[in-house]
């Protein structure tokens, strides 16, 4: 009866898991739950899955700073001319009037409004001195990018620009991508596109000319940093094989860090001019204006959390697996029985939780450790706590064949079984020494999972 009940519960749980998986686009392979209780031969235990928070619009959680801080237009009020028509000079910027002000927060407000809202810089009135602006987006949290970074310019796309990233909260910076109308002239780099990259060169920093030409047409407003095209190098053109990408994120050095940031910096180095020569008699035509910035991503929780909360202007993972910290980057105080480790996407689809285990277990309850106390006969060591045996074997180290309890035993003429493989000598000695204590403490194993 118990056996049939367990099978029924497992079947029901499989249905629930399948429904949860189908809640997300199949191409992305997200997991809805980190852990859930299931029935097994050992009773009620936790079943762990690779877990990560949902991807979201990360611009709603950032802090933006501009350098120089007085680079936003409107103080004093200023009149601008259109780049494509130098005689159309009816655009005003006045920081004291809501309708005419263009503060930085308008880069992140709801799009679709008419007229379009945007941040705008002062004009290039100090030409030929460079018009330089740094826009820094800070999250005070490690995040992982899941989609393209997209900037929409209302002033014409800049002729020179650099996108940079930080992994240490702005203490150091490294380039993500260079943008220019002429890469050789601006940055002494050969122009490339993301289509020129391969799996082996994915981490290369390139300069592209694709997003620096054109200043009038509607389709020439956006500048992108192509995340999905890089994903596609492993997951296929339509990202149908995300399992391959997840596997690479686990095994390829620096790949996961490439898509991980704490801050982004947009360095605007030269505005759109629309011509080879700058009209020095009408410098109010040249400025930067950005109507929208899109950054799609998720909190980095090291595969130890499936949700991230925003409280008191700060993002933090809701950690599972006995981990703690903003990124679930360490074991809880009383769960340091082994070194902390990030979760793993492998094996697909469930992954490996790499759960932190209690510090006070003591050696007598650590049945296996994949070194001296190895599980025998195909058994698998679970969380360094117990051996999960195949159906034909039992015992602390899976050292006993189940047929031993049958009439005639495993070596009898009617058993049909080959002689048993004995445990390794170190494992056998430790088993003899620790066996009574292990049996005495066996009741605590399920609580450790």
């Amino acid at each position: 009866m118990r056996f049939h009940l367990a099978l029924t519960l497992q079947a029901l749980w499989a249905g629930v898991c399948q429904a949860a998986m189908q809640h997300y686009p199949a191409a992305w392979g997200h997991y809805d739950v980190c852990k859930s209780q299931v029935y097994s031969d050992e009773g009620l235990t936790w079943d762990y899955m690779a877990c990560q928070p949902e991807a979201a619009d990360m611009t709603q959680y950032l802090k933006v700073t501009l350098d120089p801080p007085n680079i936003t237009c409107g103080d004093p009020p200023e009149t601008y001319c259109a780049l494509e028509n130098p005689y159309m000079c009816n655009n005003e910027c006045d920081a004291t009037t809501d309708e005419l002000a263009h503060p930085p927060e308008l880069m992140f407000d709801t799009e679709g409004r008419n007229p379009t809202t945007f941040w705008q810089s002062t004009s290039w009135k100090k030409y030929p001195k460079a018009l330089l602006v740094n826009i820094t987006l800070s999250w005070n949290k490690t995040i992982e990018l899941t989609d393209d970074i997209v900037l929409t310019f209302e002033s014409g796309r800049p002729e020179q620009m650099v996108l940079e990233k930080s992994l240490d909260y702005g203490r150091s910076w490294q380039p993500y991508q260079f943008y220019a109308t002429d890469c050789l002239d601006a940055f002494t780099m050969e122009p490339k596109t993301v289509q020129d990259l391969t799996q082996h060169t994915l981490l290369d920093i390139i300069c592209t000319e694709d997003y620096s030409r054109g200043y009038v047409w509607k389709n020439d407003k956006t500048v992108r940093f192509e995340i999905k095209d890089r994903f596609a190098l492993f997951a296929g053109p339509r990202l149908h094989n995300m399992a391959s990408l997840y596997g690479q994120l686990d095994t390829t050095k620096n790949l996961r860090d490439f898509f991980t940031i704490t801050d982004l910096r947009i360095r605007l180095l030269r505005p759109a001019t629309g011509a080879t020569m700058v009209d020095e008699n009408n410098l109010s035509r040249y400025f930067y204006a950005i109507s929208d910035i899109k950054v799609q991503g998720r909190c980095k929780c090291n595969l130890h959390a499936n949700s991230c909360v925003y409280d008191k202007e700060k993002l933090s993972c809701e950690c599972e697996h006995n981990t703690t910290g903003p990124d679930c980057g360490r074991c809880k105080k009383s769960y340091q029985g082994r070194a902390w480790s990030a979760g793993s996407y492998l094996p697909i689809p469930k992954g490996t939780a790499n759960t932190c285990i209690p510090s006070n277990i003591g050696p007598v309850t650590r049945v296996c450790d994949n070194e001296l106390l190895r599980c025998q006969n195909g058994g698998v060591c679970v969380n360094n706590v117990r051996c999960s045996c195949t159906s034909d074997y039992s015992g602390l180290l899976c050292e006993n064949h189940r047929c031993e309890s049958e009439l005639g035993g495993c070596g009898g003429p009617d058993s049909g079984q080959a002689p048993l493989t004995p445990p390794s000598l170190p494992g056998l000695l430790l088993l003899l020494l620790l066996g009574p204590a292990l049996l005495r403490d066996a009741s605590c194993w399920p609580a450790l999972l």
Side-chain angles (χ1 to χ4, degrees):
M1 179 68 182
R2 266 188 188 176
F3 179 71
H4 290 298
L5 177 61
L7 285 179
T8 304
L9 288 169
Q10 285 178 336
L12 286 170
W13 173 241
V16 170
C17 285
Q18 187 176 11
M21 291 289 286
Q22 291 173 349
H23 174 70
Y24 300 101
W28 288 97
H30 293 166
Y31 300 100
D32 194 359
V33 292
C34 283
K35 64 178 185 179
S36 44
Q37 288 187 303
V38 295
Y39 282 92
S40 67
D41 290 344
E42 290 79 22
L44 192 62
T45 61
W46 288 109
D47 183 38
Y48 292 99
M49 304 182 77
C51 55
Q52 53 192 358
E54 286 268 26
D57 174 11
M58 301 307 293
T59 60
Q60 58 189 315
Y61 307 115
L62 61 78
K63 176 186 176 184
V64 59
T65 54
L66 271 64
D67 181 32
N70 61 347
I71 196 66
T72 299
C73 70
D75 185 18
E78 195 173 348
T79 300
Y80 291 80
C81 301
L83 181 61
E84 65 274 16
N85 186 349
Y87 305 105
M88 187 184 294
C89 301
N90 57 356
N91 297 319
E92 294 180 70
C93 183
D94 185 348
T96 62
T97 307
D98 287 346
E99 293 79 11
L100 301 177
H102 297 284
E105 54 264 29
L106 295 183
M107 292 186 279
F108 312 104
D109 63 341
T110 305
E111 286 303 293
R113 293 169 58 181
N114 191 13
T116 301
T117 57
F118 51 89
W119 164 80
Q120 186 169 314
S121 75
T122 58
S123 64
W124 202 359
K125 50 196 171 188
K126 293 184 180 179
Y127 177 86
K129 184 180 178 181
L131 181 59
L132 305 178
V133 182
N134 286 343
I135 302 172
T136 303
L137 315 181
S138 303
W139 282 270
N140 197 29
K141 170 77 180 78
T142 310
I143 66 172
E144 296 173 318
L145 300 172
T146 60
D147 207 336
D148 295 359
I149 298 169
V150 184
L151 315 177
T152 304
F153 286 85
E154 291 298 318
S155 57
R157 299 183 295 189
E159 292 180 1
Q160 293 178 17
M161 183 187 112
V162 184
L163 183 66
E164 297 178 326
K165 63 173 281 190
S166 175
L167 264 171
D168 55 11
Y169 305 95
R171 287 187 288 273
S172 64
W173 296 90
Q174 53 190 287
Y176 238 168
Q177 192 149 293
F178 294 86
Y179 302 82
T181 52
D182 188 330
C183 285
L184 274 173
D185 179 61
F187 303 114
T188 63
M189 298 174 69
E190 290 285 347
K192 287 186 179 180
T193 68
V194 70
Q195 282 73 33
D196 296 323
L197 298 175
T198 66
Q199 290 185 1
H200 301 293
T201 61
L202 185 150
L203 304 182
D204 287 1
I205 308 303
I206 66 171
C207 178
T208 180
E209 298 176 353
D210 278 5
Y211 301 105
S212 304
R213 300 191 186 101
Y215 58 94
V216 177
W217 308 110
K218 217 171 191 179
N219 294 334
D220 290 336
K221 287 186 173 184
T222 59
V223 173
R224 308 179 80 90
F225 179 67
E226 307 93 337
I227 295 290
K228 280 191 171 181
D229 284 343
R230 288 168 169 81
F231 285 168
L233 292 173
F234 293 109
R238 296 188 179 180
L239 305 181
H240 283 167
N241 188 13
M242 289 300 285
S244 173
L245 173 64
Y246 286 151
Q248 293 294 332
L249 288 171
D250 256 10
T251 58
T252 303
K253 186 178 181 181
N254 298 327
L255 185 59
R256 190 180 290 187
D257 278 352
F258 183 81
F259 300 109
T260 302
I261 62 172
T262 58
D263 307 75
L264 280 173
R265 185 161 69 185
I266 304 154
R267 295 182 56 209
L268 305 173
L269 306 179
R270 182 180 173 89
T273 61
T276 54
M277 299 293 291
V278 173
D279 182 0
E280 296 183 41
N281 298 316
N282 195 356
L283 294 174
S284 61
R285 298 172 61 193
Y286 312 116
F287 54 92
Y288 304 108
I290 299 177
S291 62
D292 189 44
I293 297 179
K294 284 187 169 62
V295 182
Q296 194 83 0
R298 65 166 61 90
C299 291
K300 180 177 181 178
C301 301
N302 287 296
L303 300 186
H304 286 311
N306 69 334
S307 60
C308 193
V309 295
Y310 187 65
D311 184 39
K312 297 178 181 177
E313 299 187 346
K314 191 173 182 180
L315 284 166
S316 187
C317 301
E318 291 197 307
C319 301
E320 299 281 355
H321 309 158
N322 304 321
T323 62
T324 187
D327 302 343
C328 307
R330 62 183 187 273
C331 293
K332 289 180 179 178
K333 269 189 177 179
S334 55
Y335 289 87
Q336 295 173 353
R338 65 175 175 210
W340 175 91
S341 179
S344 171
Y345 288 110
L346 301 174
I348 301 293
K350 293 177 69 174
T352 304
N354 291 330
T355 308
C356 292
I357 62 175
S359 310
N360 58 353
I361 295 178
V364 296
T365 55
R366 291 170 72 93
V367 172
C368 51
D369 61 10
N370 286 318
E371 292 179 4
L372 285 177
L373 288 173
R374 293 186 179 180
C375 301
Q376 306 296 317
N377 300 306
V380 177
C381 185
V382 179
N383 294 332
N384 290 90
V385 174
R386 65 179 179 84
C387 290
S388 176
C389 305
T390 61
S391 58
D392 293 333
Y393 294 90
S394 63
L396 293 174
L397 294 178
C398 307
E399 73 278 9
N400 300 323
H401 204 294
R402 293 189 189 276
C403 64
E404 282 186 328
S405 60
E406 298 173 1
L407 186 63
C410 296
D414 300 324
S415 67
Q417 299 291 340
L420 290 177
T421 303
S424 63
L425 183 58
L428 183 60
L429 290 173
L430 284 169
L431 183 62
L432 290 171
L433 289 171
L434 302 178
L438 288 167
L439 289 170
R440 184 174 64 249
D441 293 340
S443 60
C444 73
W445 300 341
L448 302 176
L449 303 182

